[in-house]
Amino acid sequence: MSKSQLSKQQNRRIQAAQERYRSESELGGESGLVIARFGKQVLIEEENGDRRTTTLRRRAEDPVAGDQVVWTPQGEHGVIEALLPRRTIISRPNSQGALRPIAANIDRLLIVIAPQPLAQANLIDRYLVAASHAGIDASLIVNKADLLSEAPSVVQLAETYSELGVEVVTTGQLSDPGAETLMDMVATQTVALVGQSGVGKSSLIKRLLPDLEIRIGALSDAVGLGRHTTTAAALYHLPGGGRLIDSPGVREFHLSHLPKDAIESGFVEFEPLLGLCRFRDCSHSHEVRCAVLEAHERGEISSDRLASYRQIVASMSQ
Ligand SMILES: Nc1nc2c(ncn2[C@@H]2O[C@H](COP(=O)(O)OP(=O)(O)OP(=O)(O)O)[C@@H](O)[C@H]2O)c(=O)[nH]1
Ligand SMILES: [Mg+2]
Ligand SMILES: [Zn+2]
């Protein structure tokens, strides 16, 4: 980890601690970390590491794994008094179009792909845009390494993103060449694993934390790790201080909640060209003297990424 990253992270921690202190003294409660949310019930971790089931005081609050809250005891349970300001948030619209948080206060998105179900470049691009917009780093985890020999397109995809500067780690349950790299990458950060259902996000967490059954003893059965599809995001501590947030798999990831210019800024190879097009509101599709189209003609932007960009932009106006 670079010096500047470390100090940025340290600053965030100090800021978070100050906010926690302020809120606790103002609200007269104790601070807690959201481990998982199941409908109206929120499993939190107290400062001393104990876990407790709480409910929400205000319906408007929408806590999610990774959130810091202020709570007050109510018998052996508790009530969440307030959600503390989030350092970062990744959200997505649900099927009704309402924006729902995926994970809060994360430093990095781990976009998990696999040969089975087959990786989709456009979904990766959408996650990269969302991470960029949220000010979060993103890495690509190529899981199910044992199936890669039959999936050259996934190997190709990994190469494409690696060339774009995205860190790529290959992992799998039979051979896990990337386990150590992955642990180093997470270090003391809070990371969220996202991706299609069935790519092996929960299995990967279980591999990194073999004694998980013990660790998640307090968790609801709703988190059927490895065996069933994950239905709620849940946070797990790594021994070194890192935190992993498992999230339910998605079929698609809409970006309709983002401003239009977040899409082009989320395409890392477009970024240096933005503002260089002849027209300020250039759509990079047919305009003359479009810096993006010119870069594509010079071979600096791949046809696949340009097509993926257009697909996202087109889906925004639907
Ligand atoms: N071949 C192979 N299968 C794997 C590997 N890792 C996980 N699987 C299998 O993939 C299936 C899905 O794994 P999960 O960990 O539940 O996937 P998930 O991404 O958490 O899925 P959701 O919770 O629905 O989002 C399970 O049957 C796993 O046994 C791997 O490295 N190789
Ligand atoms: Mg899962
Ligand atoms: Zn343009």
Side-chain angles (χ1 to χ4, degrees):
M1 187 186 289
S2 77
K3 249 185 178 169
S4 66
Q5 265 181 312
L6 195 67
S7 65
K8 201 166 82 185
Q9 205 179 28
Q10 283 169 336
N11 279 334
R12 282 170 172 181
R13 292 249 157 84
I14 294 166
Q15 206 188 337
Q18 282 169 343
E19 273 161 14
R20 205 152 57 221
Y21 177 76
R22 241 197 332 267
S23 309
E24 275 178 41
S25 49
E26 277 169 18
L27 295 163
E30 295 177 48
S31 70
L33 168 69
V34 175
I35 299 298
R37 154 103 183 261
F38 309 102
K40 287 176 183 159
Q41 295 210 316
V42 185
L43 180 69
I44 63 159
E45 187 176 84
E46 304 173 24
E47 291 274 271
N48 65 10
D50 286 353
R51 291 186 172 191
R52 163 187 301 257
T53 311
T54 59
T55 49
L56 296 167
R57 169 88 62 203
R58 272 173 283 278
R59 287 189 68 87
E61 311 266 37
D62 201 3
V64 70
D67 259 320
Q68 293 284 348
V69 295
V70 173
W71 61 278
T72 48
Q74 197 173 70
E76 59 184 34
H77 300 290
V79 177
I80 292 181
E81 303 291 345
L83 219 62
L84 297 194
R86 290 161 168 161
R87 210 156 40 73
T88 61
I89 181 73
I90 287 279
S91 311
R92 65 185 289 249
N94 66 9
S95 50
Q96 281 86 48
L99 201 57
R100 290 277 172 265
I102 298 172
N105 299 316
I106 58 175
D107 303 294
R108 186 182 289 273
L109 215 53
L110 299 185
I111 306 164
V112 185
I113 62 166
Q116 182 58 253
L118 188 63
Q120 295 169 14
N122 188 249
L123 184 62
I124 301 172
D125 293 336
R126 285 167 180 266
Y127 278 123
L128 289 174
V129 166
S132 156
H133 181 69
I136 295 166
D137 292 325
S139 310
L140 195 64
I141 309 298
V142 183
N143 199 28
K144 308 197 184 182
D146 51 304
L147 305 179
L148 274 178
S149 55
E150 291 138 52
S153 70
V154 178
V155 177
Q156 181 58 52
L157 212 54
E159 256 162 48
T160 303
Y161 288 98
S162 179
E163 279 163 18
L164 286 172
V166 178
E167 195 169 355
V168 178
V169 184
T170 303
T171 60
Q173 64 191 10
L174 299 181
S175 73
D176 205 346
E180 213 164 302
T181 317
L182 191 58
M183 288 299 234
D184 286 348
M185 185 204 282
V186 176
T188 57
Q189 292 187 336
T190 301
V191 308
L193 286 86
V194 295
Q196 291 175 80
S197 185
V199 292
K201 299 178 291 297
S202 302
S203 311
L204 175 55
I205 292 182
K206 212 169 175 177
R207 280 205 300 280
L208 298 175
L209 293 165
D211 59 340
L212 199 57
E213 259 88 19
I214 305 157
R215 300 176 148 273
I216 61 162
L219 263 185
S220 152
D221 286 337
V223 186
L225 212 63
R227 270 158 292 148
H228 309 287
T229 191
T230 307
T231 55
L235 184 148
Y236 303 97
H237 291 286
L238 286 176
R243 293 162 172 180
L244 304 175
I245 297 180
D246 192 12
S247 76
V250 303
R251 204 181 305 223
E252 46 191 14
F253 184 43
H254 292 287
L255 296 173
S256 47
H257 58 296
L258 299 190
K260 204 180 141 272
D261 59 3
I263 312 301
E264 56 185 23
S265 333
F267 276 68
V268 66
E269 71 276 47
F270 289 22
E271 253 250 296
L273 307 165
L274 300 179
L276 301 182
C277 300
R278 177 174 176 185
F279 302 108
R280 258 183 56 185
D281 60 348
C282 185
S283 69
H284 321 307
S285 56
H286 59 270
E287 290 88 348
V288 287
R289 287 184 39 211
C290 163
V292 171
L293 291 179
E294 285 171 4
H296 172 239
E297 272 156 34
R298 290 196 302 273
E300 290 163 18
I301 291 177
S302 78
S303 299
D304 286 349
R305 285 271 287 175
L306 190 58
S308 186
Y309 167 77
R310 286 178 179 158
Q311 209 251 46
I312 297 174
V313 171
S315 70
M316 302 279 283
S317 51
Q318 270 165 19

